[in-house]
Amino acid sequence: MVLAELGHQIASAIQEMSKKAVVGDKEISLLLNDIARALLQADVSLAIVKKLQNAVKAEIAIAEGAAGLNLRKIAQQAVFNAVKRMMDPGVKPFVPRKGVANVVMFVGLQGSGKTTSVTKYALYFQKKGFKTAVVCADTFRAGAYDQLQQNASKAKVRFYGSMVESDPVVIAKEGVAELKREKYDLIVVDTSGRHKQEAALFEEMSQVESAIKPHDIVYVMDGTNGQAIYDQAVEFKAKVAVGSVIITKLDCNGTKGGGALSAVAATSSPIIFIGTGEHFDEFELFNPQSFTSKMLGFGDVGGLMETLKDAKIDANSELYKRFQEGVFTMRDMYEHLQNVMKLGPVGKILDMIPGMQGLAQAAAQQGHDGNDVMRGFLHILDSMTPAELDDPKIRKNMNISRMVRIAKGSGKTVIEVQNMMMTYCKFEEVAKKMGNVNFKQMARDPQAFVGRSGSANMAQIAKALDPGTLSKLGGVDGLKGLMRQMQGMPGLSGMPGLKGLF
C-alpha cells in the first residue's frame, strides 16, 4: 500500500526535525518542504498541499504563544491534524439502522471495483447483524449480472437481478420494492458504469436515483487513477448527490493514492471504506483519526480494540489467567496463535500496533507471509507430545533429537522448529515481565490505571515493550497518554486480548 510509503516519508521528515538540537523557523520550513515533496510525489494536488502547509503554519503560530510547550511536539501534532483534515471533510457519513429498509446506491466508472465493493459493503453489515441484499441494476456491462450473483452467492447475501429486463431503472425500482416487502435492513443497488464520464451514464444514474430514492449514494473511486480522479469526482458530485466515498485498489503496485485522497475534497463527502484487495475481507472501515495514525506509524489502538472485540477473544479464559500468573507453556502458545489467527491478516493487525508498522510489508517483500508462518508454527506444535506442550521448562529440554522428530512429524525443517522455539522464548519472556500487570483494572478504569496507584503496572508494561516501540510511543509519559486516550473507547473491555499480540 503506497499510502503507507507516503506516511513513512512524512514520519521520517518529522523524525529528522526532532533530531535537531534546536528547532526553529528554519527547521519547520524544511519539514514542510519535505512533506510537500512527498505529497506531490503521491499525486496529491498542489492546491491541497498548499492548504496543508498553511494549516500547519497557522496551528504552530497559535500554539507557539503558549508557555512551556515543546515546538517539536507542536509541529508533530500540527502535521498530524493537517493530514487528518485532508481526508476528513467534516461531514458525518450515513450509517444504516437496523429495523428499517436502508437503500444505498453505488456509482462509479467501469473498472473502479464498484461491483466487488457492493458485495463487500453488504457483507460487512451482514456480519454486524443486518439482513442485507444486493440489486444488479447494471445492464450496460456484459458479465455484471453474473459477477454480482456469484459474489453474492459466495458471501451468502440475497441477490436480485433480471436476465430479461433491459431497463436498469425498472430493475432497481422493482428490486428495491420486493426486498422491502421481504423486510431487508440494507438494500445495496449496483448501477452501470462507463469507461469515462458521458451524458448517458449521468442521465441513467439520475433516473435510478429518482426511482429508488436512496438514503445514501456511494461513489467508488479507483485509487490507481492518480490526479485524474479529482476531475472525475467533481463531475460525479455535480450530477448526483454523492454522500459517501469508497477508495479501491490501494494495494496495487504503482498506486500512489494521493490523488484519491485529494479528490475527497472535491466531493466534500466522507470516505467510509477503503479496498485493499479482491478478497471480501480486504475492506477496511475508514476513520480519519485511525487511518492517519496508522499511516504515520502511530498505530491504531481504537481499531485494535474493535478487532479484538469482533474476534470474541475471551478475557476470562484459562490462558489469560495463566498469563496473569506469568506462566506460558507451548500449549498456551498454541491457543494464543489460534486467537491471533481469528483476527484476520497479520499485516492488518500489526499496522494497528504502535511501532509495528511496516513489519508485515517488509516480511512480504522477503517472501514471508505472517499468516503462513503462524500456520507453520501450529503444524509444529501439533507434532509435539502432550508432555512437551505442558512442560514449562521445555526450552531447556528441547534437544536436537526432539527437534528432528518434531520436524519430521510436521513436514518442517529443524531450522523452522528452532525459529518457533525462539518465538516461544520471546513470548514466555513477555509473559513473565507482564505477569503482574492488572489488565482487568486497566480495562475498567484506564484513568486510575495511569495514576499514582498504577505506576508499578505502567512500569511493568514499559519494561515488557521493545525499546524501539516504547521510544515511538514517547517513553513512559507517551504510554500514559496513550492509556488516557483509550478511556471510553469502544471495545475496551477486550483489552486483555492484547496478550495475543505482544
Side-chain angles (χ1 to χ4, degrees):
M1 183 173 168
V2 180
L3 282 177
E5 294 176 15
L6 169 61
H8 177 70
Q9 290 177 24
I10 295 174
S12 296
I14 293 172
Q15 289 172 9
E16 284 300 312
M17 177 204 66
S18 298
K19 292 177 183 176
K20 305 293 183 182
V22 178
V23 174
D25 293 342
K26 180 182 177 182
E27 286 71 28
I28 298 297
S29 179
L30 288 172
L31 169 67
L32 291 176
N33 287 341
D34 288 343
I35 291 173
R37 191 177 301 112
L39 290 169
L40 290 171
Q41 288 175 350
D43 275 343
V44 177
S45 70
L46 180 60
I48 299 295
V49 173
K50 286 190 173 295
K51 186 176 179 180
L52 181 142
Q53 285 182 310
N54 291 335
V56 172
K57 289 177 183 177
E59 187 167 338
I60 290 174
I62 293 171
E64 266 190 300
L69 292 181
N70 186 314
L71 187 57
R72 289 181 177 84
K73 291 185 178 180
I74 293 171
Q76 289 174 9
Q77 189 61 48
V79 170
F80 181 91
N81 292 341
V83 173
K84 181 169 75 81
R85 282 194 295 268
M86 184 177 73
M87 298 177 280
D88 183 5
V91 179
K92 288 193 176 295
F94 169 76
V95 179
R97 294 184 297 115
K98 292 180 183 177
V100 297
N102 303 272
V103 179
V104 178
M105 172 179 164
F106 273 55
V107 300
L109 293 181
Q110 189 171 321
S112 64
K114 177 171 52 63
T115 299
T116 300
S117 296
V118 164
T119 309
K120 289 180 175 181
Y121 183 90
L123 180 58
Y124 174 88
F125 284 102
Q126 181 170 276
K127 288 179 177 179
K128 297 291 183 182
F130 284 75
K131 186 180 179 183
T132 64
V134 296
V135 177
C136 179
D138 182 355
T139 58
F140 178 81
R141 178 172 66 90
Y145 179 98
D146 290 337
Q147 181 188 354
L148 187 55
Q149 185 183 46
Q150 289 170 13
N151 283 353
S153 176
K154 290 177 184 176
K156 295 181 173 56
V157 170
R158 166 78 157 88
F159 171 81
Y160 180 92
S162 175
M163 293 289 286
V164 294
E165 178 59 62
S166 61
D167 188 342
V169 178
V170 173
I171 295 173
K173 188 174 182 179
E174 292 181 351
V176 168
E178 179 172 318
L179 294 168
K180 280 184 176 180
R181 287 194 296 270
E182 295 177 10
K183 305 297 183 184
Y184 276 86
D185 295 321
L186 179 61
I187 303 165
V188 190
V189 180
D190 186 20
T191 62
S192 300
R194 302 287 193 277
H195 288 298
K196 60 182 180 179
Q197 299 102 313
E198 55 186 47
L201 169 62
F202 291 127
E203 177 61 26
E204 181 180 303
M205 287 192 308
S206 181
Q207 290 177 2
V208 172
E209 179 185 6
S210 298
I212 65 175
K213 296 179 174 55
H215 295 87
D216 190 25
I217 296 180
V218 178
Y219 172 47
V220 181
M221 58 174 71
D222 183 343
T224 65
N225 281 354
Q227 293 189 8
I229 201 169
Y230 184 92
D231 294 331
Q232 295 169 7
V234 169
E235 197 161 353
F236 267 89
K237 180 69 174 182
K239 300 297 183 181
V240 290
V242 173
S244 306
V245 171
I246 290 176
I247 303 176
T248 64
K249 305 183 184 179
L250 287 179
D251 60 311
C252 297
N253 291 330
T255 301
K256 294 183 178 180
L261 295 181
S262 57
V264 173
T267 64
S268 297
S269 304
I271 306 171
I272 52 172
F273 290 96
I274 55 173
T276 56
E278 286 295 316
H279 299 295
F280 293 150
D281 63 347
E282 293 173 324
F283 193 61
E284 299 179 14
L285 184 67
F286 185 85
N287 176 285
Q289 178 88 13
S290 298
F291 187 84
T292 305
S293 186
K294 283 195 295 183
M295 181 177 163
L296 298 184
F298 302 137
D300 175 18
V301 176
L304 184 59
M305 295 300 119
E306 281 297 305
T307 303
L308 292 169
K309 184 180 178 181
D310 289 343
K312 296 181 174 63
I313 291 180
D314 185 6
N316 295 311
S317 67
E318 287 300 316
L319 173 60
Y320 171 67
K321 292 174 184 175
R322 288 194 297 277
F323 186 81
Q324 285 291 95
E325 295 167 0
V327 176
F328 194 78
T329 65
M330 283 288 186
R331 192 178 299 279
D332 293 329
M333 182 174 177
Y334 189 89
E335 185 179 338
H336 156 94
L337 291 176
Q338 287 181 315
N339 281 341
V340 175
M341 293 289 283
K342 293 178 187 177
L343 302 177
V346 171
K348 179 180 174 181
I349 304 305
L350 287 177
D351 281 345
M352 294 180 182
I353 305 173
M356 303 292 277
Q357 291 73 24
L359 288 183
Q361 185 179 10
Q365 289 173 350
Q366 297 176 16
H368 303 299
D369 179 84
N371 287 76
D372 287 343
V373 170
M374 285 202 288
R375 275 190 285 268
F377 283 177
L378 289 172
H379 292 158
I380 291 170
L381 291 165
D382 278 332
S383 297
M384 297 177 71
T385 66
E388 289 167 340
L389 290 172
D390 295 320
D391 182 3
K393 297 180 180 179
I394 187 65
R395 60 191 298 179
K396 296 179 180 178
N397 299 327
M398 186 57 69
N399 53 41
I400 189 65
S401 61
R402 274 188 170 178
M403 286 192 283
V404 170
R405 189 204 82 233
I406 294 168
K408 287 182 178 178
S410 61
K412 303 295 179 182
T413 65
V414 172
I415 292 176
E416 287 174 305
V417 175
Q418 288 175 323
N419 288 338
M420 191 276 294
M421 284 300 304
M422 289 172 62
T423 301
Y424 165 74
C425 290
K426 290 179 182 178
F427 281 137
E428 184 189 32
E429 182 181 350
V430 171
K432 287 180 178 178
K433 284 182 178 180
M434 301 192 69
N436 295 323
V437 175
N438 192 334
F439 281 105
K440 290 183 178 178
Q441 177 194 348
M442 179 171 65
R444 285 194 299 267
D445 189 358
Q447 191 64 37
F449 184 83
V450 300
R452 291 182 181 177
S453 62
S455 58
N457 281 334
M458 190 61 67
Q460 284 294 118
I461 291 184
K463 286 179 183 178
L465 286 175
D466 174 77
T469 300
L470 184 62
S471 176
K472 289 186 178 183
L473 285 172
V476 175
D477 287 340
L479 186 59
K480 288 180 179 179
L482 180 64
M483 294 304 305
R484 289 191 179 98
Q485 291 174 28
M486 287 162 58
Q487 187 174 20
M489 277 187 177
L492 188 58
S493 58
M495 184 65 190
L498 278 172
K499 66 185 182 298
L501 297 167
F502 280 105

